Amino acid sequence: GAGVSQTPSNKVTEKGKYVELRCDPISGHTALYWYRQSLGQGPEFLIYFQGTGAADDSGLPNDRFFAVRPEGSVSTLKIQRTERGDSAVYLCASSPRGLAGGMDTQYFGPGTRLTVL
Amino acid sequence: GNSVTQMEGPVTLSEEAFLTINCTYTATGYPSLFWYVQYPGEGLQLLLKATKADDKGSNKGFEATYRKETTSFHLEKGSVQVSDSAVYFCALSDPLGAGNMLTFGGGTRLMVKP
């Protein structure tokens, strides 16, 4: 079946602009996660959705970052007034139920590479 | 807070050599531990996991044992192949967290030469 997809695969924007990054999770997965991966580093957690609600947004770096999942499937990560430091690969993952303790497997999308000039 | 430290790469080996990639962690409570792999041009994939102390995760000839006493989860393979060339990430999830958020190490690039 189809895996997690993310669009666009690449996004180049200018400092100060607004961007939206889209994630289509695996059908039926209730849990959805956003991570950010800077060059040469491991992914860092941003936000976690359980259904339509953001259950944990403690990883969002500041109030320029916002994410939604209005119907409990597709999610959009929104970044306002982009800065050069926002340049990274943004990864989305989904899992069937978001169970704690490693009982669920997270399936990752290919990522969106964001470059802020 | 939770953290994962893994050996820096790149690690360069000849085909059929023995592989060890070290991973240690800091966490409150008893996390679940994972190894993810990222092949060139592909997304992160779960390689193996262990959810409690002394568990051994294994897949595709790779193994890792959850060692609570040394807070470690080292990845091993007895005989690497060129196709194992990838970046390997050690990660943990906090069982006390609301979901299953992962904390990753910095990644270790493995290059296997024929």
Side-chain angles (χ1 to χ4, degrees), chain A residues 13-86:
Chain A
T13 190
E14 294 180 343
K15 180 175 178 296
K17 300 289 189 183
Y18 168 84
V19 296
E20 290 189 352
L21 311 179
R22 177 186 169 108
C23 172
D24 281 86
I26 294 172
S27 178
H29 282 193
T30 63
L32 185 146
Y33 308 80
W34 284 98
Y35 295 84
R36 177 168 72 173
Q37 185 175 18
S38 300
L39 190 63
Q41 298 181 24
E44 294 178 314
F45 167 74
L46 296 176
I47 186 169
Y48 154 62
F49 287 89
Q50 183 59 257
T52 60
D56 189 328
D57 64 359
S58 62
L60 294 177
N62 52 60
D63 61 5
R64 296 187 297 106
F65 288 75
F66 188 71
V68 296
R69 195 184 184 200
E71 298 179 357
S73 56
V74 170
S75 176
T76 304
L77 178 65
K78 309 180 180 194
I79 310 174
Q80 299 177 321
R81 303 183 304 279
T82 51
E83 300 177 357
R84 293 194 178 90
D86 299 335

Side-chain angles (χ1 to χ4, degrees), chain B residues 6-97:
Chain B
Q6 57 183 111
M7 63 190 289
E8 291 190 18
V11 173
T12 304
L13 296 173
S14 298
E15 209 164 21
E16 300 183 2
F18 183 85
L19 168 72
T20 300
I21 300 179
N22 290 337
C23 170
T24 57
Y25 67 88
T26 301
T28 53
Y30 302 102
S32 294
L33 301 173
F34 308 82
W35 278 99
Y36 277 80
V37 58
Q38 190 168 36
Y39 297 104
E42 299 184 19
L44 279 168
Q45 302 174 25
L46 178 65
L47 180 61
L48 54 84
K49 69 179 184 182
T51 58
K52 62 182 188 296
D54 299 326
D55 267 3
K56 178 186 286 188
S58 60
N59 186 25
K60 300 182 180 180
F62 291 89
E63 293 183 339
T65 301
Y66 187 163
R67 301 287 189 198
K68 185 164 75 75
E69 63 276 12
T70 55
T71 61
S72 65
F73 193 55
H74 304 322
L75 182 68
E76 296 182 337
K77 186 174 185 182
S79 176
V80 294
Q81 305 300 312
V82 172
S83 58
D84 294 326
S85 298
V87 181
Y88 292 81
F89 293 92
C90 186
L92 67 82
S93 70
D94 184 350
L96 302 180

